[in-house]
Amino acid sequence: MTSLNDIKKNLKGYRYADRTARDALTLTENFRNLKVKDMKSFVHSNGSKENCVSVSGTIPVHIKGTNYNIPVTIWLRPTHPYSSPIVYVTPTEDMGIQQSRYVDASGLVYLPYLSEWKQNSSDLPTLTQVLCATFAEHCPVYSKSKVLKQQQPTPQSVQPPSTYATPSKIPTPQQYGNTPPRGPYPEKKQLLTMAEGPDPVVADLEQEVTCGVCHDRYQEPKLLPCCHYYCKQCILTLSSRYRPNQPFPCPDCREPTLLPDNNPDRLPTAFFINRMKALHSRMEKAHGKLETTCEMCSGGKATAFCRQCVNFICEDCVRSHQRMKAVFSTHIVSTLDELKQGEVKELTFKSPPPPKCEDHDEPKKIFCFDCDKLICRDCVVFDHRDHKSEFVKKAAPATHQKLAEHLSPLKNLLPDLSTAVNQVKGTKQEIHAQKELTERQVNAKFQELHVHKETSAMSDSKTEKVESTLFTKILNKEIPASIVHEDDQCMAFRDVNPVSSTHILVIPRKPIPMLSAAQDDDTQLLGHLLQVARRVADSEKLEEGYRIVINNGKHGAQSVYHLHIHIMGGRQFEWPPG
């Protein structure tokens, strides 16, 4: 469908077909790879169905200097634009959906732009631009074959549409404050991008060591009470948006978090993230993404990796390993090419050296049970002489045993937790069903109000007609008339085109278009008009009788849309009237 009329023909049942057709056409004109599809039955999460038209195809997403075609489908509901579109990522057979805070396992997209959709200010091209910007930060798909076909950049696909888009008008994840929109969003999971290389593990680690707030490598990662972690500076920035000693919401789970003394240093350090950063750095070196220098002599360029030394080594150190067999006889040295090809599966890193004592500058290798902390050898002699202490290596098994004892009761709770999770899922489904029911009720009420609004507008239009009629000008004394009666509610005057010797009109001062437009609160006024008609007839001495006529609407031959009563007498009238 390429023309406006073709699209409108397909919008059967849409309340605002003209607006919907224009929006869909504008979207396809700005994004050439999107096409309007025929109407199909859309199944909601609660099982209810709705006939909807969709716009489907690919949108250009710029990721790490390369343009990719991301397949999406935008469903337009019958109440568009008064209800937000429903957006799905629709991967091809060689793609998989990558879950994030913006895309769930089914491909359903959650965005603040959708949750804050407004019929007068929101539009489909801007929504698509938001999708492009969001997917550039959080790629919604990954290639099952490790490689996604690269899109050849074209001016239409790379540049934002000129009608809607200067870059400052396009909302980005940063403009949302990197805070996920409210709603039933999926948990934070592993975020995979399209791996550039034979081993996707590097891409996995790249995402795991990337902060969800600043989208950069973690710097001094800190752990929040909800177990989510961010850079220390990012946490400080998040908390600065709120008053001192006021909790701020976690960007992932929205759990209120109070920063101790407004100082992120008081939060525990996420040491495991630092270890993952070290591992990621080694993986990058192994895949040739970073320049690698020898870690033994700090001299030349590294060409191999010793699995026992856990170091990248240069040619000189390789020869030293080969020459000093008494020392390095059990060491296995692999070339960097072997690492790149994935022939070496085990790649670890050295454990960090023991921390040094602040008082004696000696390594802390002893654990004091009384003080519950690490100490050095000199501390045992001078400060902890009477305390129970043990070398860390010997004390560790006992500590491990205590941890196992504490964890054992928790394992017994797993079945109950699983049951609770299933109950929550069931409740979630009920909430979704109730949500759909509420939406239908709201839409029905909206339609009722819309009809009432149109009726009111019609009534107002008729009122405007009344205000500009001939009778209005007579009431305002703008046109002269032969007035026979006048009070605060009505006026009686002789008709300028009489059909009998006596022909008088009685009109109310209130602008009522016709008798059928009168309301219940006009009862007293209508009775007053008839009483005035009787008194006028008496004053005209119509003892032989007279005729009272009220014309209503087109078929009633009403010529002036201001309610009026004809008093006609002075001759014999026929029946039925013509």
Side-chain angles (χ1 to χ4, degrees):
M1 282 176 271
T2 56
S3 69
L4 185 64
N5 289 333
D6 290 340
I7 298 175
K8 287 175 64 176
K9 291 178 182 178
N10 198 36
L11 296 176
K12 295 180 179 178
Y14 276 68
R15 298 174 187 168
Y16 310 97
D18 291 340
R19 168 72 183 275
T20 304
R22 289 196 303 271
D23 288 357
L25 182 61
T26 303
L27 176 61
T28 56
E29 287 176 346
N30 285 277
F31 293 87
R32 299 294 183 179
N33 291 336
L34 293 176
K35 304 295 181 185
V36 180
K37 303 298 182 180
D38 292 334
M39 182 177 290
K40 292 183 179 180
S41 178
F42 178 82
V43 181
H44 291 276
S45 58
N46 64 345
S48 61
K49 296 181 179 181
E50 194 173 36
N51 291 329
C52 300
V53 167
S54 64
V55 182
S56 184
T58 60
I59 59 175
V61 178
H62 192 72
I63 302 176
K64 296 184 178 179
T66 306
N67 295 310
Y68 294 94
N69 285 325
I70 304 299
V72 298
T73 297
I74 303 174
W75 292 90
L76 306 180
R77 303 186 64 182
T79 53
H80 180 87
Y82 288 89
S83 57
S84 64
I86 301 174
V87 184
Y88 275 88
V89 176
T90 52
T92 59
E93 292 181 357
D94 60 343
M95 297 180 189
I97 292 179
Q98 182 51 58
Q99 299 181 58
S100 71
R101 65 184 68 177
Y102 300 110
V103 181
D104 67 12
S106 66
L108 182 61
V109 176
Y110 302 92
L111 286 175
Y113 194 82
L114 289 171
S115 61
E116 299 169 4
W117 180 273
K118 297 179 180 179
Q119 67 271 15
N120 295 325
S121 58
S122 302
D123 56 72
L124 297 178
T126 304
L127 167 62
T128 309
Q129 287 292 328
V130 174
L131 289 173
C132 294
T134 303
F135 291 167
E137 298 288 343
H138 303 273
C139 184
V141 297
Y142 64 89
S143 175
K144 295 179 180 179
S145 59
K146 306 292 192 296
V147 178
L148 192 64
K149 288 185 178 180
Q150 181 174 336
Q151 172 196 10
Q152 295 297 328
T154 61
Q156 291 84 357
S157 61
V158 176
Q159 297 297 329
S162 58
T163 305
Y164 288 87
T166 56
S168 61
K169 289 179 65 178
I170 303 172
T172 64
Q174 285 81 358
Q175 288 174 309
Y176 294 138
N178 296 293
T179 301
R182 298 175 182 175
Y185 303 104
E187 298 177 359
K188 180 178 180 181
K189 297 180 185 289
Q190 223 176 18
L191 303 179
L192 301 181
T193 58
M194 289 159 284
E196 300 175 1
D199 191 353
V201 176
V202 177
D204 290 0
L205 287 174
E206 172 71 25
Q207 294 298 328
E208 291 296 336
V209 299
T210 300
C211 176
V213 174
C214 64
H215 301 288
D216 203 350
R217 298 281 178 86
Y218 282 107
Q219 300 294 329
E220 299 183 79
K222 295 293 183 177
L223 196 64
L224 298 182
C226 59
C227 295
H228 292 119
Y229 37 87
Y230 307 96
C231 301
K232 182 178 79 171
Q233 184 59 41
C234 293
I235 294 175
L236 188 60
T237 302
L238 290 172
S239 65
S240 65
R241 300 174 184 174
Y242 298 83
R243 293 191 297 271
N245 298 321
Q246 180 184 3
F248 65 92
C250 168
D252 275 282
C253 65
R254 312 296 297 171
E255 180 72 20
T257 302
L258 183 62
L259 195 61
D261 299 330
N262 294 320
N263 184 5
D265 289 327
R266 297 287 302 276
L267 294 172
T269 300
F271 290 105
F272 60 96
I273 294 298
N274 290 330
R275 294 173 68 84
M276 291 180 68
K277 286 175 61 179
L279 178 59
H280 177 260
S281 177
R282 287 190 172 277
M283 294 293 291
E284 283 192 321
K285 291 179 181 179
H287 285 77
K289 292 188 177 183
L290 292 179
E291 184 70 23
T292 309
T293 58
C294 181
E295 297 177 337
M296 291 192 70
C297 66
S298 300
K301 180 179 178 180
T303 59
F305 179 77
C306 177
R307 294 170 59 180
Q308 277 63 42
C309 297
V310 198
N311 278 325
F312 290 92
I313 57 179
C314 62
E315 288 289 345
D316 291 339
C317 292
V318 171
R319 286 192 289 270
S320 297
H321 275 62
Q322 295 171 347
R323 186 170 56 251
M324 302 173 65
K325 294 183 179 180
V327 179
F328 301 112
S329 60
T330 59
H331 289 212
I332 300 175
V333 177
S334 304
T335 65
L336 293 184
D337 289 337
E338 292 174 337
L339 294 177
K340 293 178 184 178
Q341 296 169 5
E343 296 180 6
V344 179
K345 301 300 182 184
E346 297 180 8
L347 184 63
T348 59
F349 52 91
K350 290 182 178 179
S351 299
K356 288 191 175 182
C357 178
E358 297 81 1
D359 298 328
H360 308 106
D361 199 28
E362 292 287 337
K364 296 180 179 179
K365 297 184 178 181
I366 302 172
F367 183 77
C368 178
F369 290 95
D370 293 344
C371 299
D372 194 26
K373 68 176 185 177
L374 291 173
I375 58 176
C376 70
R377 180 187 55 195
D378 293 346
C379 290
V380 174
V381 176
F382 296 105
D383 303 321
H384 300 262
R385 184 178 304 171
D386 299 328
H387 293 187
K388 179 183 178 181
S389 59
E390 186 63 84
F391 282 102
V392 171
K393 291 184 178 179
K394 294 183 178 180
T399 304
H400 292 168
Q401 181 63 31
K402 289 182 180 180
L403 288 175
E405 293 174 357
H406 287 297
L407 289 174
S408 181
L410 296 179
K411 292 180 180 179
N412 298 329
L413 297 176
L414 289 178
D416 295 336
L417 290 175
S418 178
T419 302
V421 169
N422 292 332
Q423 291 176 349
V424 170
K425 289 181 179 179
T427 304
K428 182 179 178 181
Q429 293 177 352
E430 293 177 0
I431 292 174
H432 279 301
Q434 185 63 36
K435 175 187 173 185
E436 294 295 337
L437 176 61
T438 304
E439 285 182 352
R440 289 195 295 270
Q441 293 174 344
V442 169
N443 290 334
K445 186 64 176 178
F446 171 80
Q447 187 176 10
E448 178 184 341
L449 293 175
H450 183 69
V451 171
H452 178 71
K453 180 180 179 182
E454 290 181 346
T455 304
S456 299
M458 185 181 300
S459 176
D460 293 342
S461 176
K462 292 178 179 178
T463 301
E464 291 176 0
K465 291 182 181 179
V466 171
E467 293 175 352
S468 60
T469 62
L470 175 68
F471 292 168
T472 306
K473 295 180 180 180
I474 292 176
L475 286 169
N476 295 332
K477 305 294 179 67
E478 297 175 7
I479 296 178
S482 178
I483 301 173
V484 297
H485 173 83
E486 186 176 11
D487 59 32
D488 60 342
Q489 297 187 64
C490 66
M491 176 185 287
F493 54 89
R494 300 189 185 278
D495 197 322
V496 294
N497 294 310
V499 296
S500 61
S501 59
T502 302
H503 190 171
I504 298 173
L505 301 177
V506 181
I507 63 174
R509 294 187 181 277
K510 181 178 180 180
I512 302 175
M514 60 186 75
L515 182 61
S516 59
Q519 305 295 322
D520 291 342
D521 56 0
D522 294 325
T523 302
Q524 184 177 358
L525 174 60
L526 296 177
H528 179 70
L529 294 178
L530 290 177
Q531 286 288 356
V532 169
R534 178 188 62 79
R535 290 200 294 268
V536 169
D538 291 344
S539 65
E540 293 292 320
K541 301 186 183 303
L542 300 175
E543 292 88 355
E544 297 296 325
Y546 51 91
R547 177 169 287 179
I548 298 292
V549 176
I550 299 177
N551 299 326
N552 187 86
K554 179 180 178 180
H555 287 183
Q558 183 175 1
S559 58
V560 180
Y561 281 87
H562 187 126
L563 175 63
H564 54 281
I565 299 176
H566 293 266
I567 307 172
M568 297 175 288
R571 68 178 178 88
Q572 179 64 50
F573 291 94
E574 302 294 333
W575 188 263

